Each structure stands twice: as C-alpha cells, then as structure tokens.
Amino acid sequence: MDRLTSMTVFTRSVELGSFTAAAEALDMSPQLVGKNVSFLEQHLGVRLINRTTRQHSVTEAGRDFYERAKIILAELEAAESFAAETRATPRGRIRINAPVTFGVHALAPLLPVYLKQNPDVTVELMLANRMVDLIDEGFDIVFRVGHLPDSGLVARALHPYQLIACASQAYLDDAPPLVHPSDLSQHECLIFSHTSLRTHWEFESAEGMLRVAIDGRLMLDSGEALINAARAGQGVALQPAELVKPLIDEGYLIQVLSEFKIPTRPLHILHAPDRRLTPKVRSFLDFASDHFGSGRL
C-alpha cells in the first residue's frame, strides 16, 4: 500500500472518529480503511488506534503521529496546488502601485495590451509618488524608482529610468547662458519634491561626476505640473524621458546640457516573498519584464 494514502486514511479516521465514517468520506469500504491503518502500524512498528467491536480510540503514539501527518499532508496539498496554479489561467483582481509619471506615460498605455492577453484579470492601478507599504496596503505589485531599501520584498530589475534636463525657449532667451551644470546656480530650477532631486542634480563629464546643488522658488510633487511650469517659462526642469521627449519633439521644450550625461536611476518591480505566486501576479511580472526589462532600448 501507499504510505501517503494510508496517512490520509488514518488522519480522516482520527478526525471522524470511526472507520465507517472515514470510509464514507473517502468512498472506500471500512475493511479497506482498516487495512490502511494496519499497514501504517506495521510500517511504524507502533499501535496507532485501539480497536474494539464497538469503538476505537487513538493511542498516545497515534495522537503524536496524527499531528505530524497533518503537517505532511498539508504541505503535499500545497505543493500540488502550486503545480496546478502554474498551469492555471490568470484570473482575479491585481492591485498595482507605480510612481505617477511612470504610471501615466509608460505603464498605463500598455495595460490594454496586458488585459487583452489576460481577459480574466482585472487591474487596479494606484499612482502615487510616496513609498507605499506593499503588504499593509494590500498591493500585489509595486514599481519603484531609485535605490531600494532593504524591505524583504522580492525585486526584479527593469530598464533604468532616464532623465532629461529641459526648459522652454522663452525662458532660455531671457536667462543667463546654460552651457555647464555649474551654471545652474544662476538659474531658476523647478524642484521635484520627491527623492534627492529636490536638492541636487548629477551629471557625468570628463571631469568626473558633478553633483550640483540646485535652488528654485517653485517646488511640486507632480512631474506633469512641473513640466507645465517649464513650458510656461518658469525655469529648468529635470524629469523622466517618457514625459519630456514628446514635448521636445513638438517644440514646446528644449533639451539643455545635452553634452553631459545624466546618470540613470534604477527601476524595479517588487512583490511579496511568497513561496507561491498566483498566476495573475506571475503573468504581470513576466509582462512587465518583457516591456520594461533591462534589455529594452
């Protein structure tokens, strides 16, 4: 006989209180239930259940074995469930958090593609520049820009985030020359209130890494609002390429300091360190890696 089957029969007999009840639950005869329990006792070399013609009682060894057998059978069920889930169709609601600019200009335009590929999945996307708590706030997936703190979450590296310095032609016409990052000290910089970008901007040059202190009278927590201020001639902005490039192409903004490379910022997608990823989470992780992975251009 199979030991796992016999363990299942034994645990059901203990839980239901008799061979007859276990037989009904397992769709087998009471005699076969008894044979499975006897097989287990012979294998272990101990009496698990004391039987009489009218009742049976679990021995002390039987009670100890029952508690351990329950754990083993639960782990087996979890393993089998995991195997089944990897073959299952993604379905259900998936809650995602992303920074506002990335979410609006890079992620949201691709969500119809994901939804078309996964018709049984519903996406709830929340955009916020603050650092949300994935576990406490109930998110399945979080996108984060910048260096990651040690959070215990599982992270996949995506293509680094590219930033562009820009300003309107009207602002540049009236402002001092801007040919070197050090010239920013003479300019009105539009400050993004999240991350270190609110105090310093960095550039790479032949001189090495330049970390330039910036200042300005306008500080905003929205990249879109900040870029609108740049379009209105309020100053120099440093914002993601997804937001800035279309406005440069349309002539609303001018890229400045283009001779100096701006270091990219890390972009990661994070999820909880569960042993079992549901099909919906796995499908979105793979989708994001395909579209925002480190190998994309």
Side-chain angles (χ1 to χ4, degrees):
M1 291 184 174
D2 178 69
R3 265 190 292 169
L4 288 174
T5 300
S6 295
M7 288 170 63
T8 301
V9 172
F10 167 70
T11 57
R12 294 299 281 159
S13 298
V14 172
E15 291 163 353
L16 298 175
S18 71
F19 287 176
T20 301
E24 291 177 358
L26 297 170
D27 194 24
M28 61 175 59
S29 69
Q31 292 78 15
L32 186 54
V33 170
K35 288 181 179 179
N36 274 278
V37 174
S38 295
F39 166 77
L40 207 53
E41 290 175 329
Q42 291 171 10
H43 174 75
L44 297 171
V46 295
R47 173 72 69 174
L48 299 175
I49 295 178
N50 289 319
R51 285 86 109 187
T52 67
T53 55
R54 294 188 176 182
Q55 63 181 6
H56 72 236
S57 60
V58 183
T59 66
E60 183 178 353
R63 180 61 60 184
D64 289 342
F65 184 76
Y66 166 75
E67 295 299 333
R68 289 163 173 77
K70 278 199 310 181
I71 297 172
I72 293 171
L73 294 172
E75 287 295 320
L76 176 63
E77 183 179 357
E80 291 176 340
S81 176
F82 174 75
E85 283 179 351
T86 60
R87 301 190 302 269
T89 300
R91 57 172 45 87
R93 181 180 298 273
I94 183 168
R95 298 193 71 230
I96 302 168
N97 166 260
V100 176
T101 298
F102 172 78
V104 170
H105 296 276
L107 180 58
L110 287 174
L111 290 182
V113 178
Y114 172 78
L115 292 172
K116 185 175 182 180
Q117 294 174 356
N118 299 274
D120 295 324
V121 177
T122 300
V123 171
E124 179 182 348
L125 174 62
M126 191 193 90
L127 303 179
N129 289 324
R130 67 181 179 86
M131 186 175 291
V132 303
D133 189 304
L134 183 146
I135 303 297
D136 289 347
E137 299 185 48
F139 289 102
D140 297 296
I141 284 173
V142 167
F143 288 86
R144 283 194 182 149
V145 178
H147 295 285
L148 295 177
D150 184 7
S151 65
L153 300 175
V154 179
R156 289 191 189 185
L158 302 177
H159 188 74
Y161 217 44
Q162 182 64 58
L163 300 173
I164 294 177
C166 61
S168 70
Q169 187 64 61
Y171 170 81
L172 295 172
D173 288 343
D174 293 336
L178 182 53
V179 296
H180 189 274
S182 61
D183 296 332
L184 288 169
S185 62
Q186 305 174 53
H187 284 263
E188 188 72 25
C189 293
L190 299 172
I191 300 174
F192 186 57
S193 59
H194 293 278
T195 76
S196 60
L197 295 178
R198 66 184 179 277
T199 58
H200 292 81
W201 293 352
E202 293 183 342
F203 300 84
E204 296 177 10
S205 72
E207 309 161 44
M209 184 67 70
L210 303 175
R211 192 165 187 261
V212 180
I214 54 100
D215 194 14
R217 293 178 297 151
L218 184 59
M219 178 182 293
L220 297 166
D221 67 352
S222 163
E224 285 72 13
L226 192 146
I227 284 299
N228 284 337
R231 286 183 59 179
Q234 297 298 305
V236 183
L238 181 66
Q239 282 293 293
E242 286 89 347
L243 177 58
V244 174
K245 275 186 175 180
L247 297 175
I248 292 176
D249 293 342
E250 294 171 14
Y252 294 110
L253 293 171
I254 306 296
Q255 183 174 357
V256 298
L257 301 173
S258 57
E259 298 86 357
F260 299 87
K261 183 178 179 181
I262 300 172
T264 58
R265 306 190 69 210
L267 174 64
H268 292 88
I269 184 170
L270 297 90
H271 62 89
D274 297 333
R275 288 180 299 170
R276 295 162 55 191
L277 284 179
T278 60
K280 65 181 180 182
V281 172
R282 187 183 302 277
S283 69
F284 195 87
L285 290 171
D286 291 342
F287 178 84
S289 294
D290 289 342
H291 289 275
F292 302 113
S294 57
R296 76 182 178 100
L297 298 177

